[in-house]
Amino acid sequence: MSCESDPYIFTTDTLPTDLRFLPPLANGLLGWKVYNNIMHMGGVYNGEGGRCHRADVPCPLAVKVESEEAAQHSYSLDTHTGIFTHTLTSASVTVSQSLYSHRYYSNLMVMEVLLVRQVTSEEPITVKLVSSFTPQSKDIVFESGPDYKGGRHIQGKTNSAEFPGGSCPTVHLIWTPVPSTLTLLPEQSQSRWGFVLVVANSLDTAEAGFDEGLDLMATGNLRPSHEKAWKELWLQSKVEATGSESLGKALIGCMFYLLSAFPSIHDTSSSFGGVSPGGLSNGGDGQDYWGHVFWDQDIWMYPGIALFYPKLARSVLQYRVGTIDGAKDNAQKQGYKGIKFPWESAVSGREVCPEDIYGQQEIHINGDVTLAFQHYLYLTEDLSMFTQGQGSEVIYGVADYWVSRVTWNPDDHMYHLTGVMPPDEYYYNVNNSVYTNTVAKFSLQFAVELAALLQHPAPKEWQEVAKHLKIPFDQETQYHPEFDGYIKGHPVKQADTVMLGYPLGLPMTPEVRRNDLEAYEPVTDPQGPAMTWGMFAIGWLELGEAEKAHKLLEKCFKNIQGPFQVWSESSDGSGAVNFLTGMGGFLQAVLFGYTGFRSKECLAFSPLLPNDISELCIRGVNYLGSQMDWLLRKEEVCIILREQAGNAKSYDLQVVLKASGTKLPLTPGNTQAKTCSDSRSFLFIF
C-alpha cells in the first residue's frame, strides 16, 4: 500500500515552519521530538517544589542528513511502526534516514541511514550528517566516562531534588558515535548504518542496554523487534472511521501519540512515571506544564486506553499508588486527614505546582484519581489491584480526606466543600463547585462499595457525607450552576458542569442534561483547551443529536497542527504541544459518544453515528478479560468475540436501542440478536 493511500502514514515534502510541531517519538520511558538536541526520560526531574521540571537530556541522535547535490526531500511518520523517515532523492543516490524510540527495549533509541545508488558509477557518494548535539544540559552536570564497546559514555545527576532530602536521579548515556559523513564506496550499490543510543538510570542498565542494541544490530533484528512490538500493540486496538478522512486521520494520530506515552505491554518494572499533558517529548523548564502529571492523565487520557489495554490502565494506577506517601504529606500540610493528590505531580506525589492556589483549591483531583480506579474495577473486576496493588489505600485515603475537608452547614443541613477552584479555572475560592462535590460524592460511595467487596469495615461517615453533600441545582431553571453564586451566562474556560453527565454519570433527566449543555456551550471560551468540545459532543449524543455533536467535535480539527497530526492546546496553535489531553478528550467522544459505551454494571452501548460517518470500526475492546471487535453502521451493530475469559456463559453485555430504550442482553442463546455462523458474532438490526 502506498503512503498516499495508507492513512496510518503521515507524509509531507516540507517540515512544519513551527518546529514545535515536529513529530514526537516516545515509548513510555524516553521521549524526543525529531531533530531536537534535547530529549527527556520518564521520572527524571530537576528542581525543588514549584521549580521542578523534566530534566533536559542531550540527544546524540539530533542529526540531519544533507546531500551536496540537489535532492527532493520527503518526510514520513509511519504510525504502524512509530518510525520517522527522511528521504532524499537525487540523480545519483537515494538516502533514507530513519529514527525511532524502540517500542520493546524502552532504554533504546535508534537512527538508521540507508544509501542506495541510483546509477552505475565508479565514484564514491558522500552525504553529510549535521549534528546539533552537545554533551551538556542545564539540568544535569555530565561527566565523560570511559568508552564502552566503541560507544561514547556520559553520566551525571540532576542539580537538585524534588523535595528537601530527596534523591537526585542519575542519568547514563551510551551511544554509537555519529561521524560527520557517510560514504557509499564505488563497488557498493547500497549500504546501511545503524546508530543506537541507550539512556538509563544506572551504569549496569546502560551497558546491558547497549549490549542488547549491538546484538540486535548484529542479528538484523533491531528494527524488526521494534516493528513487531508496535504490530502487537495495534492488534489490541484499532479505531477507524469510514466517510470522514479528517476524522479517520485524527483518530489514528490520537491513538498513536497516546500509546507512545505509555510503557510496553511487556514492561514489568512498575517504574512508569505517568503521562503529562505534552508527553515525554515536552516538559522542560517553563514549557508544557513542566512535564508534570495532572488530572489530564486520569480523566482525559486514561479512559480511551483502559478500554483496550488493562495492563496499561493498571500502570496509571500504579503510578498513583507510588505517590501515596507524598499525597499523605500534602493532606497533613493542609491540615486534613487521608491523602491529597497533588494538582501537579512529578515522582514523589508532593505538590510541585508553581502557584500554591491550584494545589490548595483544585481538590477535585482526588476524585478524578479515584474515578480511574473505579473504571478499572468495572472493566476488569481485578480486585488484586486493590489488595496487593494497594489501590484500596488510595480509595480509603481519599474518602478520609473528603470527610475531614467538608464542613456542615446548619442552614440547609448539608455538607459543603468551601474555598475551592473548579475545573473552570476562571474562578477560585468558590463554594460547592458542582463538579468537585459530585466527584467527591461518587468517590465516597465507591469507597463504601469497595469496602464491602473486600469485607473491610467502612466508617459510617463515608456514607453519611456522600448522602448529604450538596450538589448545587437550580430548581427554577432546571440546570446545574457551576458553583454557589455562579451567574448564568458568565464566561467559562473549559468543560466543567457538562462533565456531570459524562464521565461522572450523575443521574439527571434529558431536560436537565439539555439545559446544562445549552447554558454552558455559548459561554465557553472558544480559545479554551482542546478537550472541552469532546465532552459537549458526548452530551448531545446522549440526547440523540448526532449532527450537533459532530459539528462540535469538528472544532477540534483546528487544534491539529501540520502534516504529523500533532495537537496544540489551543486552536490558534498556542499552549502545550503534543497536547495528549485534547487527544484523549477527542478519542472519548468517539469511543464513548458514538458508541454510548458505559461499563458500570455491564458493558452497555447505545450507538449513534452522524451522517458523515458511514461506518465505525472499534477493534480490541477488552471487557472482563474478553476481547471484542465492534462494527457500527447506521442501522446495525456487529460484535465479534475474539477471546472469551474463562468459561463464562454470559458476556454481560447489553445493547440499548435508542428509540425504545429496550435493553437486549448479549448471550450466546439470545433470540433477539442474530447470531452469525461462527457463534461468536452477533448482529443487531435497528
Side-chain angles (χ1 to χ4, degrees), residues 118-156:
Q118 295 291 86
V119 292
T120 304
S121 169
E122 295 183 4
E123 295 296 318
I125 298 173
T126 298
V127 295
K128 294 179 183 177
L129 301 183
V130 182
S131 173
S132 60
F133 165 71
T134 56
Q136 298 162 346
S137 164
K138 60 184 176 56
D139 296 312
I140 303 169
V141 179
F142 279 106
E143 297 176 352
S144 294
D147 284 2
Y148 180 74
K149 296 187 178 179
R152 300 283 187 266
H153 174 217
I154 59 174
Q155 63 185 55

Side-chain angles (χ1 to χ4, degrees), residues 417-495:
L417 282 168
T418 60
V420 304
M421 181 185 288
D424 173 12
E425 293 169 331
Y426 285 169
Y427 304 95
Y428 57 91
N429 208 30
V430 302
N431 298 335
N432 297 314
S433 150
V434 70
Y435 177 91
T436 304
N437 287 25
T438 302
V439 83
K441 177 188 180 79
F442 288 169
S443 59
L444 283 161
Q445 289 176 339
F446 181 58
V448 173
E449 178 186 341
L450 182 67
L453 282 172
L454 300 181
Q455 298 181 325
H456 174 86
K460 65 180 187 304
E461 292 87 358
W462 293 355
Q463 187 64 56
E464 176 70 15
V465 173
K467 184 178 180 181
H468 297 287
L469 187 58
K470 179 180 180 181
I471 307 297
F473 183 70
D474 188 317
Q475 289 288 353
E476 185 178 340
T477 56
Q478 289 289 296
Y479 97 113
H480 292 95
E482 192 174 277
F483 51 83
D484 284 355
Y486 172 77
I487 300 171
K488 197 172 185 180
H490 276 207
V492 166
K493 177 185 176 184
Q494 63 184 62

Side-chain angles (χ1 to χ4, degrees), residues 295 299-300 368 423 435 438 494-506 508 513 531-532 535:
W295 75 315
I299 288 289
W300 298 101
D368 303 328
Y435 177 91
T438 302
Q494 63 184 62
D496 184 310
T497 308
V498 296
M499 296 173 70
L500 298 181
Y502 176 89
L504 299 193
L506 180 69
M508 66 183 80
R513 185 73 160 124
M531 66 279 192
T532 287
M535 293 302 105

Side-chain angles (χ1 to χ4, degrees), residues 1 139 169 240 390 649:
M1 185 178 285
D139 296 312
E240 296 177 334
Q390 293 181 267
K649 293 181 180 177

Side-chain angles (χ1 to χ4, degrees), residues 109 113-114 143 173 187 274 294 296 303 400 431-432 434:
M109 291 176 61
V113 181
L114 173 66
E143 297 176 352
L173 277 73
E187 65 272 16
F294 293 71
D296 305 44
D400 288 339
N431 298 335
N432 297 314
V434 70

Side-chain angles (χ1 to χ4, degrees), residues 310-613:
K311 286 182 182 176
L312 299 186
R314 186 166 174 141
S315 69
V316 168
L317 309 187
Q318 288 170 331
Y319 166 75
R320 290 298 188 184
V321 166
T323 65
I324 284 176
D325 288 344
K328 287 179 179 176
D329 187 63
N330 297 334
Q332 289 168 7
K333 283 179 177 173
Q334 290 188 3
Y336 301 113
K337 296 178 181 177
I339 60 180
K340 160 63 175 68
F341 285 104
W343 178 240
E344 301 189 24
S345 180
V347 175
S348 74
R350 290 166 174 81
E351 184 62 67
V352 292
C353 183
E355 297 178 63
D356 287 343
I357 189 170
Y358 297 95
Q360 291 291 330
Q361 295 195 13
E362 207 149 356
I363 61 175
H364 64 81
I365 179 67
N366 261 12
D368 303 328
V369 170
T370 60
L371 193 63
F373 280 81
Q374 187 174 353
H375 284 165
Y376 178 80
L377 181 62
Y378 293 158
L379 281 169
T380 67
E381 291 187 356
D382 174 18
L383 282 172
S384 72
M385 182 63 232
F386 297 87
T387 52
Q388 301 100 301
Q390 293 181 267
S392 59
E393 191 175 343
V394 169
I395 304 306
Y396 302 158
V398 167
D400 288 339
Y401 175 84
W402 292 128
V403 169
S404 67
R405 180 63 172 79
V406 297
T407 55
W408 177 254
N409 186 291
D411 295 333
D412 60 6
H413 300 286
M414 301 291 284
Y415 287 103
H416 289 202
L417 282 168
T418 60
V420 304
M421 181 185 288
D424 173 12
E425 293 169 331
Y426 285 169
Y427 304 95
Y428 57 91
N429 208 30
V430 302
N431 298 335
N432 297 314
S433 150
V434 70
Y435 177 91
T436 304
N437 287 25
T438 302
V439 83
K441 177 188 180 79
F442 288 169
S443 59
L444 283 161
Q445 289 176 339
F446 181 58
V448 173
E449 178 186 341
L450 182 67
L453 282 172
L454 300 181
Q455 298 181 325
H456 174 86
K460 65 180 187 304
E461 292 87 358
W462 293 355
Q463 187 64 56
E464 176 70 15
V465 173
K467 184 178 180 181
H468 297 287
L469 187 58
K470 179 180 180 181
I471 307 297
F473 183 70
D474 188 317
Q475 289 288 353
E476 185 178 340
T477 56
Q478 289 289 296
Y479 97 113
H480 292 95
E482 192 174 277
F483 51 83
D484 284 355
Y486 172 77
I487 300 171
K488 197 172 185 180
H490 276 207
V492 166
K493 177 185 176 184
Q494 63 184 62
D496 184 310
T497 308
V498 296
M499 296 173 70
L500 298 181
Y502 176 89
L504 299 193
L506 180 69
M508 66 183 80
T509 65
E511 178 196 4
V512 172
R513 185 73 160 124
R514 180 180 296 274
N515 291 344
D516 284 349
L517 292 165
E518 290 179 344
Y520 294 105
E521 185 183 319
V523 297
T524 298
D525 189 342
Q527 295 300 321
M531 66 279 192
T532 287
W533 302 114
M535 293 302 105
F536 279 100
I538 291 175
W540 287 115
L541 285 163
E542 287 180 347
L543 295 173
E545 301 208 21
E547 299 311 313
K548 186 173 279 193
H550 196 57
K551 283 188 174 66
L552 287 169
L553 202 57
E554 284 180 332
K555 287 188 177 188
C556 297
F557 294 151
K558 294 177 183 176
N559 296 75
I560 302 174
Q561 308 297 334
F564 302 113
Q565 299 288 306
V566 177
W567 283 54
S568 60
E569 182 175 10
S570 298
S571 57
D572 62 1
S574 63
V577 174
N578 188 36
F579 191 51
L580 299 174
T581 313
M583 298 186 208
F586 182 84
L587 194 59
Q588 285 187 65
V590 174
L591 291 177
F592 300 96
Y594 291 144
T595 67
F597 282 147
R598 301 293 184 270
S599 62
K600 186 171 183 180
E601 294 167 350
C602 63
L603 184 60
F605 65 105
S606 185
L608 182 64
L609 296 179
N611 293 329
D612 281 2
I613 302 174

